[in-house]
Amino acid sequence: MGVEIAIATAKVLVMVLIILHVMAFGGVYFERKVSAVIQNRFGANRANIFGGILPVNLGVLNTLLADPVKFLLKEDIVPAGADKLLHTAAPILALAPVLVTFAVIPFGDILTVGGRDINLQGAELNVGLLYILAMASLGVYGVVLGGWASNSRWSLLGGIRGSAQMISYEIAMGLSLIGVVLVYNTLDLQEIARAQGGYFLRGWLPAWGILYQPIGFVIFLVAGVAESKRIPFDLPESESELVSGYFTEYSGAKHLMFMMADFVEVVLVSALVTTLFFGGWQVPYLARYGAMGLPGFHFPWGATLALPALLVTLLQIGAFAIKLMFFTWFQVMLRWTLPRFRYDQLMRLGWQGLLPLALVNVALSALVIIWKAGAS
Amino acid sequence: MNPVLFLLLALLTLTAALTVVLHPKPVHSACALVVTLFVLSVFFVALDAQLIGVLQIVVYAGAIVVLLLFVIMLLNLQMESHAFGPGWVVAAAVGGGLMLAAVLVSQVWWAPGGAGPAVSAEFGYPKEVAQLLFTTYLLPFELTSVLLLVAIVGAVALTKKGLQ
């Protein structure tokens, strides 16, 4: 019992460490410095520890420390006419459901330590994918209640926009995942990641999910960006018309929680895209049990490179983190590149563009699977 | 299921459900409804029906109550003027609830004792549920979808009538 608790704790710590790294790189480095490069300005360069007494300046790392400290030290203001209970509960309701989804995302294959097989996934849930959709659908309450409880026009408009947008894109998102489930025949994310270990073209091309579900990938990514309510889908916030939408009336730590919820959603979309369409923790040509049952690289040109099993696992976790960072970077680039949609364009894209396309994708995937099953 | 856990969860469910009915603010009632549905899904998960538990959240807590809240917010309902409807509505609701409770309790009371039917190790898994849904219970399943379609058409027809 004690050992199992220790293993579970270790898994949670590794996952949290990965998310924190991605958030630090994506949230602070990309959002503060890379965005500045895109807009031809310097970006955050004022934060300095002890006013520059230290011989080395840590650069953007100072901002990394200063940003949360600034938020946490600010005064917490609740507007006079606000519903106090719901005003306080809303940021928690926005952040908590997104955080718990990471419990079912696998970050590595099985690790064998001292004769004990450890599945590198927080919780083995046979309905993992549905669990993520369920929790993501609860995230909308934070937005709606935050907007309503603030007793402000801007907030209410933002909350209503947010709920309509999130419900609309949730449908396309769920439908785009049906194709993936059809291909892999399971809802367990670890099994989906493991099923992507095969190869095409005589062992040269890794058989990742995007090759089976290219349309599903595009729909999922677009719907995912819309779910995280960032540009080009940031109408619930849209600072040029609604001040900052549903969290206009929030300050300090609660404001930070809303911002974090949005950014953790970005990381969640990256994690799902990685796991479902880009092999999850798979490294090309790296296998825990290769041709001869040896852990290590098995290249298609016949060369092999044996590696200790622990190193294989570390490489897999590293690959997962790097893929996660890549898609986070991609979404940050989208945010700083594209203009905002108009609300009718947003709704038209969701209901008339993505939804029919997702339905066609489901039908096509099912037809191909039936045809292949009949052919073999 | 652990009896202590069951009692605690049951207490929470009942408190939330009573809040839905008794709270004067519609938004708070809707939030209490979310809590009720969420705790019900915890019951399902604890009884090895993970799929049903998760579907409960996806469909009810995650979609339907959001729409309820959406309507409440659009109509800007702040506070109910009176806590209860007319007396006959309350009487009918209480009577109906008591009758349902009587049926359920009597069924459980007179149920044959001993161990229940043997279930496979995959009980409650998506494959197992889907197998039953698309073979044994196909007709009721399809009829339910017709029922939903009728409800949608009816709702559209009712709202359009006022516009003409």
Side-chain angles (χ1 to χ4, degrees), chain A residues 83 126 130 141 144 160 163 167, chain B residues 28 50 61 66 70 73 125:
Chain A
D83 188 314
N126 59 58
L130 271 177
Y141 286 108
V144 181
I160 288 179
S163 56
I167 288 182
Chain B
H28 285 238
Q50 295 175 345
V66 178
F70 193 70
M73 280 165 57
Y125 277 39

Side-chain angles (χ1 to χ4, degrees), chain A residues 227-257:
Chain A
E227 281 286 297
S228 59
K229 306 179 289 294
R230 286 157 60 88
I231 294 171
F233 301 102
D234 74 328
L235 285 117
E237 293 178 32
S238 55
E239 72 284 341
S240 50
E241 21 181 318
L242 294 184
V243 191
S244 59
Y246 59 93
F247 57 91
T248 305
E249 304 290 344
Y250 280 90
S251 64
K254 292 177 189 166
H255 189 268
L256 178 66
M257 284 169 88

